[in-house]
């Protein structure tokens, strides 16, 4: 007699299974896409929500944290979109606005794109092609084995596909703005692609409008496919998330030869935030910098998880992430650099730095190296500590009150990353966000 093991599902997993069964026939795509959805959902069901026994999710037990699955975001109504028009118009961002409402690309709220740029909705690409974009939207194997990535591929409702023509130099940023039209908390599953042609140059800036992307449950995936000798700057402003929100953003980055790719993210806000980045060097002599600052207080929780693959020789990778943790907040940094045998002369460095301001905070650091080439220069590290009392004393001796001296040192710690941004207007905006966060702490 043999016993049959029947894994139990959490209420959230059960709701997700029911939701997929109810909506899969209405999700966009051809028969091949529908098959892809079924395969990915089967992979998700087999794995379930990630938990602490999954190494890459060890510190963020989503199966325990996510007690319910919210209903899927409905298609925005014309009246709701009209209500957002004024808010979008009031934004002072420089560059081109491309608006997604509850994960769906809305051309009527977006600006006309400059020459050299073409945009589509994800839904139209899944339905009509072209085939090469469908291939890129699959992520080309990046994020394989991750249950949340599989769930995103199965449930993706809409998103935006941006093509930058080879050789095009886009002077102003393309702003991806996430808004919401739902009065109630909802779940959003979006997948977007930025395909940059060879020798092109573009800046992609992500931000939220109102509660867009900051409330409810968000499972988003943004894919970068960057051609040879192209240059991409990418910024993310992930601030002001609401209590009980869960936001998981996956970035998949595929780089050609001699590419320059630079990405920065500022994270602060309530609820749970996880950014997971899968970056692959496919071509030789490419350079990538991944940076981020997380400013956390209360019971806020921010997880940054990286997997950087060097598959080609002579590439340079720099990863630096900083955390300021106050009150009872929790930070997570996991990062792995993988160097394949053929990736000789790799230069890779990964570092996490955390400032712990109270005894109630927690920081989990796990940097790793996995090297199969013998002629490389790779390093990783992680530091945790408090502010230097000597530096505070130095500033107090020059007339600054303790709180102001502390805030000055914290601002210098976080703003060091911002100073490296090429776009000075974007840098000013991030400095303002950091100053606002510090001012809130000073007056608490």
């Amino acid at each position: 007699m043999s016993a049959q093991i029947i894994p139990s599902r959490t209420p959230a997993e059960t709701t997700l299974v029911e939701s997929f069964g109810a909506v899969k026939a209405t999700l966009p795509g051809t028969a091949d896409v529908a098959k892809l959805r079924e395969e990915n959902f089967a992979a998700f069901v087999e794995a379930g929500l990630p938990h602490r026994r999954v190494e890459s999710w060890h510190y963020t037990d989503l199966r325990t944290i996510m007690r319910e699955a919210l209903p899927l975001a409905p298609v925005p109504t014309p009246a709701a979109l009209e209500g957002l028009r004024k808010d979008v118009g009031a934004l002072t961002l420089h560059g081109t606005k491309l608006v997604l409402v509850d994960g769906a690309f809305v051309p009527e709220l977006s600006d006309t794109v400059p020459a050299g740029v073409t945009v589509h909705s994800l839904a139209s690409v899944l339905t009509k092609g072209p085939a090469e974009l469908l291939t890129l939207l699959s992520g080309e194997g990046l994020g394989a084995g991750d249950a949340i990535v599989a769930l995103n591929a199965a449930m993706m409702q809409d998103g935006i596909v941006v093509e930058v023509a080879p050789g095009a130099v886009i002077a102003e940023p393309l702003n991806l703005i996430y808004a919401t039209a739902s009065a109630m908390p909802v779940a959003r599953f979006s997948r977007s692609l930025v395909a940059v042609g060879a020798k092109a140059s573009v800046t992609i800036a992500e931000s939220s409008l109102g509660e867009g992307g900051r409330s409810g449950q968000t499972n988003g995936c943004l894919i970068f496919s960057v051609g040879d000798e192209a240059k991409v700057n990418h910024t993310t402003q992930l601030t002001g998330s609401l209590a009980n929100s869960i936001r998981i953003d996956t970035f998949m980055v595929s780089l050609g030869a001699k590419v320059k790719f630079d990405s920065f993210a500022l994270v602060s806000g309530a609820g749970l935030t996880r950014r997971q980045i899968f970056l692959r060097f496919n071509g030789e002599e490419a350079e990538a910098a991944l940076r981020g600052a997380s400013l956390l207080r209360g019971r806020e929780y921010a997880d940054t998880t990286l997997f950087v693959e060097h598959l080609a020789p002579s590439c340079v990778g720099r990863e630096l992430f900083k955390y300021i943790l106050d009150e009872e907040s929790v930070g997570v940094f996991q990062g792995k650099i993988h160097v394949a045998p053929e990736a000789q002369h790799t230069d890779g460095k990964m570092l996490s730095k955390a400032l712990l301001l109270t005894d109630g905070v927690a920081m989990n650091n796990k940097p790793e190296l996995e090297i199969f080439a013998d002629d490389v220069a790779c390093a990783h590290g992680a530091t945790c500590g408090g502010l230097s009392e000597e530096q505070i004393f130095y500033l107090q001796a020059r007339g600054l009150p303790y709180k102001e001296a502390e805030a000055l040192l914290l601002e210098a710690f976080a703003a060091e990353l911002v100073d490296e941004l090429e776009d000075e207007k974007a840098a000013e905006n991030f400095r303002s966000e950091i100053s606002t966060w510090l001012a809130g702490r000073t007056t608490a």
Side-chain angles (χ1 to χ4, degrees):
M1 180 177 179
S2 61
Q4 182 181 7
I5 299 175
I6 303 176
S8 60
R9 288 179 181 150
T10 66
E13 290 168 342
T14 298
T15 302
L16 286 168
V17 170
E18 293 171 352
S19 296
F20 183 69
V23 304
K24 63 181 181 181
T26 66
L27 294 172
T30 62
D32 288 340
V33 173
K35 181 182 177 184
L36 182 70
R37 291 183 186 277
E38 292 281 4
E39 293 171 350
N40 276 280
F41 197 75
F44 166 73
V45 170
E46 183 176 355
L49 289 167
H51 47 78
R52 62 183 300 107
R53 292 195 299 276
V54 178
E55 186 175 353
S56 59
W57 289 81
H58 178 75
Y59 301 108
T60 303
D61 188 344
L62 192 61
R63 197 167 195 258
T64 300
I65 296 170
M66 187 173 165
R67 298 184 177 179
E68 62 172 346
L70 297 175
L72 294 184
V75 176
T77 65
L81 296 181
E82 191 58 35
L84 286 170
R85 187 177 298 280
K86 183 178 179 181
D87 295 334
V88 173
L91 290 173
T92 56
L93 301 172
H94 66 294
T96 304
K97 300 171 188 171
L98 301 171
V99 181
L100 295 93
V101 179
D102 289 323
F105 175 51
V106 183
E108 54 265 44
L109 292 182
S110 303
D111 293 338
T112 301
V113 294
V117 177
T118 307
V119 297
H120 320 266
S121 71
L122 174 78
S124 67
V125 173
L126 294 180
T127 304
K128 304 174 184 176
E132 58 268 27
L133 291 182
L134 284 170
T135 300
L136 296 178
L137 277 165
S138 70
E140 301 179 88
L142 291 166
D146 186 283
I148 290 302
V149 173
L151 181 62
N152 176 275
M155 300 283 278
M156 54 185 173
Q157 298 166 280
D158 201 356
I160 186 169
V161 176
V162 179
E163 292 183 274
V164 181
V169 177
I170 312 304
E172 297 288 320
L174 303 180
N175 296 285
L176 306 187
I177 300 165
Y178 303 106
T180 185
S182 301
M184 301 296 292
V186 293
R188 310 172 190 86
F189 295 88
S190 67
R191 178 168 287 221
S192 295
L193 166 68
V194 178
V196 183
K199 299 184 179 180
S201 176
V202 66
T203 295
I204 303 293
E206 297 182 273
S207 62
S208 297
L209 172 64
E211 296 183 2
R214 304 189 306 168
S215 63
Q217 296 171 350
T218 301
N219 181 341
C221 181
L222 177 59
I223 301 167
F224 283 93
S225 177
V226 187
D228 294 349
E229 300 183 49
K231 179 180 180 182
V232 176
N233 290 319
H234 169 233
T235 61
T236 302
Q237 184 174 330
L238 212 170
T239 58
S241 297
L242 303 182
N244 300 319
S245 64
I246 296 177
R247 176 163 180 167
I248 302 172
D249 286 342
T250 300
F251 298 91
M252 301 179 182
V253 185
S254 178
L255 303 180
K258 299 181 180 179
V259 162
K260 293 186 184 301
F261 183 87
D262 185 286
S263 179
F264 170 79
L266 179 65
V267 176
S268 73
L272 182 150
T273 300
R274 175 177 165 108
R275 301 182 73 245
Q276 49 182 21
I277 304 172
F278 303 92
L279 184 144
R280 179 180 293 162
F281 290 95
N282 287 314
E284 62 184 17
E285 299 182 29
E287 299 177 13
L290 304 175
R291 290 171 281 113
S294 297
L295 315 179
L296 308 175
R297 60 164 63 99
R299 293 179 174 271
E300 295 169 1
Y301 189 108
D303 175 344
T304 301
T305 295
L306 312 175
F307 183 47
V308 179
E309 291 180 275
H310 288 263
L311 302 185
S314 305
C315 294
V316 178
R318 293 287 183 270
E319 298 87 39
L320 175 57
F321 289 83
K322 293 188 173 184
Y323 295 76
I324 298 177
L325 303 173
D326 200 2
E327 300 175 351
E328 299 178 75
S329 57
V330 177
V332 176
F333 175 80
Q334 296 182 100
K336 176 184 283 189
I337 298 174
H338 170 90
V339 182
E342 61 272 25
Q344 299 292 351
H345 311 301
T346 288
D347 181 356
K349 292 183 174 60
M350 177 179 287
L351 180 60
S352 164
K353 293 183 175 181
L355 283 178
L356 315 182
L357 303 183
T358 69
D359 293 337
V361 304
M363 181 68 205
N364 302 289
N365 273 315
K366 189 182 168 192
E368 299 176 85
L369 294 175
E370 191 174 61
I371 300 174
F372 297 96
D374 56 11
D375 187 5
V376 302
C378 293
H380 65 55
T383 63
C384 292
L387 283 171
S388 166
E389 290 298 329
E390 289 186 2
Q391 291 178 331
I392 291 177
F393 177 77
Y394 177 85
L395 294 173
Q396 284 183 295
R398 278 146 183 82
L400 284 181
Y402 183 89
K403 281 291 185 183
E404 290 185 24
E406 189 182 56
L408 187 63
L409 293 175
L410 292 175
E411 185 170 8
F413 176 78
E416 178 188 2
L417 299 178
V418 175
D419 292 341
E420 297 182 22
L421 294 177
E422 288 187 8
D423 186 336
E424 185 53 35
K425 290 183 180 178
E428 286 179 12
N429 179 51
F430 284 121
R431 289 191 194 100
S432 176
E433 286 283 342
I434 292 171
S435 296
T436 300
W437 187 88
L438 291 171
R441 182 172 189 274
T442 302
T443 57

Coordinates of all heavy atoms in Angstrom, one line a residue, residues 103-160:
G103 N -1.8 48.3 -15.4 CA -1.0 47.4 -16.2 C -1.3 47.4 -17.7 O -0.5 46.8 -18.5
A104 N -2.3 48.1 -18.1 CA -2.7 48.2 -19.5 C -2.2 49.5 -20.1 O -2.4 50.6 -19.6 CB -4.2 48.1 -19.7
F105 N -1.5 49.4 -21.3 CA -1.1 50.6 -22.0 C -2.2 51.4 -22.6 O -3.1 50.8 -23.2 CB -0.1 50.2 -23.1 CG 0.3 51.3 -24.0 CD1 0.9 52.5 -23.4 CD2 0.3 51.3 -25.3 CE1 1.3 53.5 -24.2 CE2 0.7 52.3 -26.1 CZ 1.2 53.5 -25.5
V106 N -2.3 52.7 -22.3 CA -3.4 53.5 -22.7 C -2.8 54.6 -23.6 O -2.3 55.7 -23.2 CB -4.1 54.2 -21.5 CG1 -5.3 55.0 -22.0 CG2 -4.5 53.1 -20.5
P107 N -2.9 54.4 -24.9 CA -2.3 55.4 -25.9 C -3.0 56.8 -25.8 O -2.3 57.8 -25.9 CB -2.6 54.8 -27.3 CG -2.7 53.3 -27.0 CD -3.4 53.2 -25.6
E108 N -4.3 56.8 -25.5 CA -5.0 58.2 -25.4 C -4.5 59.0 -24.3 O -4.8 60.2 -24.2 CB -6.5 58.0 -25.4 CG -7.0 57.1 -24.3 CD -7.2 55.6 -24.7 OE1 -6.3 55.1 -25.4 OE2 -8.2 55.1 -24.4
L109 N -3.9 58.5 -23.3 CA -3.3 59.3 -22.2 C -1.8 59.5 -22.4 O -1.2 60.2 -21.5 CB -3.5 58.6 -20.8 CG -5.0 58.5 -20.3 CD1 -5.0 57.8 -18.9 CD2 -5.6 59.8 -20.2
S110 N -1.3 59.0 -23.4 CA 0.2 59.0 -23.6 C 0.6 60.1 -24.7 O -0.3 60.5 -25.5 CB 0.7 57.6 -24.0 OG 0.4 56.7 -23.1
D111 N 1.8 60.5 -24.7 CA 2.3 61.4 -25.6 C 2.7 60.7 -26.9 O 2.9 59.5 -27.0 CB 3.6 62.1 -25.1 CG 3.3 63.0 -23.9 OD1 2.1 63.4 -23.7 OD2 4.2 63.2 -23.1
T112 N 2.8 61.5 -28.0 CA 3.3 61.0 -29.2 C 4.8 60.7 -29.1 O 5.6 61.5 -28.5 CB 3.2 62.0 -30.4 OG1 1.8 62.3 -30.5 CG2 3.7 61.5 -31.7
V113 N 5.2 59.5 -29.5 CA 6.6 59.2 -29.3 C 7.5 59.8 -30.4 O 7.1 60.1 -31.5 CB 6.8 57.6 -29.4 CG1 6.1 57.0 -28.2 CG2 6.4 57.1 -30.7
P114 N 8.8 60.1 -30.0 CA 9.7 60.7 -31.0 C 10.1 59.8 -32.1 O 9.9 58.6 -32.0 CB 10.9 61.1 -30.1 CG 10.9 60.2 -29.0 CD 9.4 59.9 -28.7
A115 N 10.6 60.4 -33.2 CA 11.1 59.6 -34.3 C 12.2 58.6 -33.8 O 13.0 58.9 -33.0 CB 11.7 60.5 -35.4
G116 N 12.0 57.4 -34.3 CA 13.0 56.3 -33.9 C 12.4 55.4 -32.9 O 13.0 54.4 -32.5
V117 N 11.2 55.8 -32.3 CA 10.6 54.9 -31.3 C 9.2 54.5 -31.8 O 8.5 55.2 -32.4 CB 10.4 55.7 -30.0 CG1 9.7 54.9 -28.9 CG2 11.7 56.2 -29.5
T118 N 8.9 53.2 -31.6 CA 7.6 52.6 -31.9 C 7.1 52.0 -30.6 O 7.8 51.3 -29.9 CB 7.7 51.6 -33.0 OG1 8.4 52.2 -34.1 CG2 6.4 51.1 -33.4
V119 N 5.8 52.2 -30.3 CA 5.2 51.5 -29.2 C 4.0 50.7 -29.6 O 3.3 51.0 -30.5 CB 4.8 52.5 -28.1 CG1 6.0 53.2 -27.5 CG2 3.8 53.5 -28.6
H120 N 3.8 49.6 -28.9 CA 2.6 48.7 -29.1 C 2.1 48.4 -27.7 O 2.8 48.5 -26.7 CB 2.9 47.4 -29.8 CG 3.9 47.5 -30.9 ND1 3.5 47.7 -32.2 CD2 5.3 47.5 -30.9 CE1 4.6 47.7 -33.0 NE2 5.7 47.6 -32.2
S121 N 0.9 47.9 -27.6 CA 0.4 47.3 -26.4 C 0.9 45.8 -26.4 O 1.0 45.2 -27.4 CB -1.1 47.4 -26.2 OG -1.7 46.5 -27.2
L122 N 1.1 45.3 -25.2 CA 1.4 43.9 -25.1 C 0.3 43.0 -25.7 O 0.6 42.1 -26.5 CB 1.7 43.5 -23.6 CG 1.9 42.0 -23.4 CD1 3.3 41.6 -23.8 CD2 1.6 41.5 -22.0
A123 N -0.9 43.4 -25.5 CA -2.0 42.6 -26.0 C -2.0 42.5 -27.5 O -2.2 41.4 -28.0 CB -3.4 43.2 -25.5
S124 N -1.7 43.6 -28.2 CA -1.6 43.5 -29.6 C -0.5 42.7 -30.1 O -0.6 41.9 -31.1 CB -1.5 44.9 -30.2 OG -0.3 45.5 -29.9
V125 N 0.7 42.7 -29.5 CA 1.8 41.9 -29.9 C 1.5 40.4 -29.6 O 1.8 39.5 -30.5 CB 3.1 42.3 -29.1 CG1 4.2 41.3 -29.4 CG2 3.5 43.7 -29.5
L126 N 0.9 40.1 -28.5 CA 0.5 38.7 -28.2 C -0.5 38.1 -29.2 O -0.5 36.9 -29.5 CB 0.0 38.5 -26.8 CG 0.9 38.8 -25.7 CD1 0.2 38.7 -24.3 CD2 2.1 37.9 -25.7
T127 N -1.3 39.0 -29.8 CA -2.3 38.6 -30.7 C -1.9 38.6 -32.2 O -2.2 37.7 -32.9 CB -3.6 39.5 -30.6 OG1 -4.0 39.5 -29.2 CG2 -4.7 39.1 -31.5
K128 N -1.0 39.6 -32.5 CA -0.7 39.8 -33.9 C 0.8 39.6 -34.2 O 1.2 39.5 -35.4 CB -1.1 41.2 -34.4 CG -2.5 41.5 -34.2 CD -2.8 43.0 -34.5 CE -4.3 43.4 -34.2 NZ -4.5 44.8 -34.4
G129 N 1.6 39.5 -33.2 CA 3.1 39.4 -33.4 C 3.7 40.8 -33.6 O 3.1 41.7 -33.0
P130 N 4.8 41.0 -34.1 CA 5.6 40.0 -34.9 C 6.3 39.0 -34.0 O 6.5 39.2 -32.8 CB 6.6 40.9 -35.6 CG 6.8 42.1 -34.8 CD 5.4 42.4 -34.1
A131 N 6.8 38.0 -34.7 CA 7.3 36.8 -34.0 C 8.6 37.2 -33.2 O 8.8 36.6 -32.1 CB 7.6 35.7 -35.0
E132 N 9.4 38.1 -33.8 CA 10.7 38.4 -33.1 C 10.4 39.1 -31.7 O 11.1 38.9 -30.8 CB 11.6 39.2 -33.9 CG 11.0 40.5 -34.4 CD 10.3 40.4 -35.8 OE1 9.9 39.3 -36.1 OE2 10.3 41.5 -36.5
L133 N 9.3 39.9 -31.7 CA 9.0 40.5 -30.4 C 8.4 39.5 -29.4 O 8.7 39.5 -28.2 CB 8.0 41.6 -30.6 CG 8.5 42.9 -31.3 CD1 7.4 43.9 -31.4 CD2 9.7 43.4 -30.6
L134 N 7.7 38.5 -29.9 CA 7.2 37.4 -29.0 C 8.3 36.7 -28.4 O 8.3 36.3 -27.3 CB 6.2 36.5 -29.8 CG 4.8 37.0 -30.2 CD1 4.1 36.1 -31.1 CD2 4.0 37.2 -28.9
T135 N 9.3 36.4 -29.2 CA 10.5 35.7 -28.7 C 11.2 36.5 -27.6 O 11.5 36.0 -26.5 CB 11.5 35.5 -29.8 OG1 10.9 34.7 -30.9 CG2 12.8 34.7 -29.3
L136 N 11.3 37.8 -27.8 CA 12.0 38.6 -26.8 C 11.1 38.7 -25.5 O 11.6 38.7 -24.4 CB 12.2 40.0 -27.3 CG 13.2 40.2 -28.5 CD1 13.3 41.6 -29.0 CD2 14.6 39.6 -28.1
L137 N 9.8 38.7 -25.7 CA 8.9 38.8 -24.5 C 8.9 37.5 -23.7 O 8.5 37.5 -22.5 CB 7.4 39.0 -25.0 CG 7.1 40.4 -25.3 CD1 5.8 40.5 -26.1 CD2 6.9 41.2 -24.0
S138 N 9.5 36.4 -24.2 CA 9.6 35.2 -23.4 C 10.7 35.3 -22.4 O 10.9 34.5 -21.5 CB 9.9 34.0 -24.4 OG 11.2 34.1 -24.9
G139 N 11.6 36.3 -22.6 CA 12.7 36.5 -21.7 C 13.9 35.7 -22.0 O 14.9 35.8 -21.3
E140 N 13.8 34.9 -23.1 CA 15.0 34.1 -23.5 C 15.7 33.3 -22.4 O 16.9 33.3 -22.3 CB 16.0 35.0 -24.2 CG 15.4 35.8 -25.4 CD 16.4 36.7 -26.1 OE1 17.1 36.3 -27.0 OE2 16.5 37.9 -25.6
G141 N 14.9 32.8 -21.6 CA 15.4 31.9 -20.5 C 15.8 32.6 -19.2 O 16.1 31.9 -18.2
L142 N 15.8 33.9 -19.2 CA 16.1 34.6 -18.0 C 14.9 34.4 -17.0 O 13.7 34.4 -17.3 CB 16.2 36.1 -18.3 CG 17.5 36.5 -19.1 CD1 17.3 37.9 -19.6 CD2 18.7 36.3 -18.2
G143 N 15.3 34.2 -15.7 CA 14.3 34.0 -14.7 C 13.6 32.6 -14.7 O 12.7 32.4 -14.0
A144 N 14.3 31.7 -15.5 CA 13.7 30.3 -15.5 C 13.7 29.7 -14.2 O 14.7 29.8 -13.4 CB 14.5 29.5 -16.5
G145 N 12.6 29.0 -13.8 CA 12.5 28.3 -12.6 C 11.9 29.2 -11.4 O 11.7 28.6 -10.3
D146 N 11.7 30.4 -11.7 CA 11.1 31.3 -10.7 C 9.6 31.3 -10.8 O 9.0 31.5 -11.8 CB 11.6 32.7 -10.8 CG 11.2 33.6 -9.7 OD1 10.0 34.1 -9.7 OD2 12.0 33.9 -8.8
A147 N 8.9 30.9 -9.7 CA 7.5 30.7 -9.8 C 6.7 32.0 -10.0 O 5.7 32.0 -10.7 CB 7.0 30.1 -8.4
I148 N 7.2 33.1 -9.5 CA 6.6 34.4 -9.7 C 6.7 34.8 -11.2 O 5.8 35.4 -11.8 CB 7.1 35.4 -8.8 CG1 6.7 35.1 -7.4 CG2 6.7 36.8 -9.2 CD1 5.2 35.0 -7.2
V149 N 7.8 34.5 -11.8 CA 8.0 34.8 -13.2 C 7.1 34.0 -14.1 O 6.4 34.4 -15.0 CB 9.5 34.6 -13.7 CG1 9.6 34.7 -15.2 CG2 10.4 35.6 -13.0
A150 N 6.9 32.7 -13.7 CA 6.0 31.8 -14.4 C 4.6 32.3 -14.2 O 3.8 32.3 -15.2 CB 6.2 30.4 -13.9
L151 N 4.2 32.7 -13.0 CA 2.9 33.2 -12.8 C 2.6 34.5 -13.6 O 1.5 34.6 -14.2 CB 2.7 33.5 -11.3 CG 1.3 34.0 -10.9 CD1 0.2 33.0 -11.2 CD2 1.3 34.4 -9.4
N152 N 3.6 35.3 -13.8 CA 3.4 36.5 -14.6 C 3.2 36.1 -16.0 O 2.4 36.7 -16.7 CB 4.7 37.4 -14.4 CG 4.7 38.6 -15.3 OD1 5.0 38.5 -16.5 ND2 4.1 39.7 -14.8
A153 N 4.0 35.2 -16.5 CA 3.8 34.8 -17.9 C 2.5 34.1 -18.2 O 1.9 34.3 -19.3 CB 4.9 33.8 -18.3
A154 N 1.9 33.5 -17.2 CA 0.6 32.8 -17.4 C -0.5 33.9 -17.3 O -1.5 33.8 -18.1 CB 0.4 31.8 -16.3
M155 N -0.4 34.8 -16.4 CA -1.5 35.7 -16.2 C -1.4 37.1 -16.9 O -2.3 37.9 -16.7 CB -1.6 36.0 -14.7 CG -1.9 34.7 -13.8 SD -3.6 34.1 -13.9 CE -4.3 35.2 -12.7
M156 N -0.3 37.4 -17.5 CA 0.0 38.7 -18.1 C -1.3 39.2 -18.8 O -1.8 38.6 -19.7 CB 1.2 38.7 -19.0 CG 1.2 37.7 -20.1 SD 2.8 37.8 -21.0 CE 2.5 36.3 -22.1
Q157 N -1.7 40.4 -18.4 CA -2.9 41.0 -19.0 C -2.6 41.9 -20.1 O -3.2 41.9 -21.2 CB -3.7 41.7 -17.9 CG -4.2 40.8 -16.8 CD -4.7 41.6 -15.6 OE1 -3.9 42.1 -14.8 NE2 -6.0 41.8 -15.4
D158 N -1.7 42.8 -19.8 CA -1.2 43.8 -20.8 C 0.1 44.4 -20.4 O 0.7 44.0 -19.4 CB -2.3 44.9 -21.0 CG -2.2 45.6 -22.3 OD1 -1.2 45.4 -23.1 OD2 -3.0 46.5 -22.6
G159 N 0.5 45.4 -21.1 CA 1.8 46.1 -20.9 C 2.2 46.9 -22.1 O 1.3 47.1 -22.9
I160 N 3.4 47.3 -22.2 CA 3.8 48.1 -23.3 C 5.1 47.5 -23.9 O 5.9 46.9 -23.2 CB 4.1 49.6 -22.9 CG1 4.4 50.4 -24.1 CG2 5.2 49.6 -21.9 CD1 4.4 51.9 -23.7

